[in-house]
Amino acid sequence: DAGVTQSPTHLIKTRGQHVTLRCSPISGHKSVSWYQQVLGQGPQFIFQYYEKEERGRGNFPDRFSARQFPNYSSELNVNALLLGDSALYLCASSLRGHNSGNTIYFGEGSWLTVV
Amino acid sequence: AQSVTQLDSQVPVFEEAPVELRCNYSSSVSVYLFWYVQYPNQGLQLLLKYLSGSTLVESINGFEAEFNKSQTSFHLRKPSVHISDTAEYFCAVSDQVSRTGGSYIPTFGRGTSLIVHP
């Protein structure tokens, strides 16, 4: 079975541009969450979606947005990119939401470099 | 807000030696604790987790961690490491305080780089 798949794997953008990152969860999983991992740090929670509804939002500016589609895949959008947005963006899926330790499975991430 | 402290940013060790990666958290309520491993250029993989019950949890590849409520710690140990254990290890905690929208969102530590030398 395929795991969590993310695209693109690497991309370079310039400041002020917009980026869209995509994620396909494990088949049967209805929850998708997004994390930002800056070099040398642990992942920071950005969003969680379950059954196409936003169920959680981390401490990120409004430039960050996301959505989940009927097939449970998801997009993360970042507008007006800043140099500080350079990071590995991780998508994770689980059967349900992050409920009482429900196991989440991570994709390999999308490396975003903003120049 | 809860926080997770991984006291060592890097832990160098020789192959077949024992290792302990330390993790402390701040939370006054019931917690769920996790260790994730990240190999170079890969995403995170769940290594083991504590939800309830026995305070000692084990992974399939020889790692174990013990939940110590009084010391608010969840240290990861392995009695004999291999070269292939070289990776970044992240401790994470979620509790009812971090529950948002019906979900428990884990807070991750900054990670500990385990470097196993031959």
Side-chain angles (χ1 to χ4, degrees), chain A residues 37 42 48 55 98 103-104 107, chain B residues 38 43 49 90 100-101 103-104:
Chain A
Q37 186 179 11
Q48 195 226 351
R55 295 299 185 97
H98 292 304
T103 298
I104 57 176
Chain B
Q38 186 175 34
K49 63 182 178 181
F90 292 93
T100 173
S103 296
Y104 296 76

Side-chain angles (χ1 to χ4, degrees), chain B residues 29-98:
Chain B
V29 298
S30 298
V31 296
Y32 305 113
L33 298 159
F34 309 83
W35 275 99
Y36 286 86
V37 59
Q38 186 175 34
Y39 298 103
N41 300 316
Q42 294 188 25
L44 278 73
Q45 301 173 32
L46 179 66
L47 193 58
L48 46 77
K49 63 182 178 181
Y50 169 79
L51 303 181
S52 64
S54 173
T55 58
L56 184 66
V57 290
E58 298 177 352
S59 73
I60 57 173
N61 55 355
F63 283 93
E64 64 178 30
E66 186 163 18
F67 168 53
N68 188 319
K69 187 175 181 179
S70 62
Q71 298 186 3
T72 60
S73 68
F74 191 55
H75 301 332
L76 181 70
R77 303 183 184 95
K78 189 171 185 180
S80 176
V81 295
H82 303 289
I83 296 287
S84 60
D85 292 325
T86 295
E88 194 80 15
Y89 291 80
F90 292 93
C91 180
V93 59
S94 64
D95 60 23
Q96 295 181 358
V97 174
S98 64

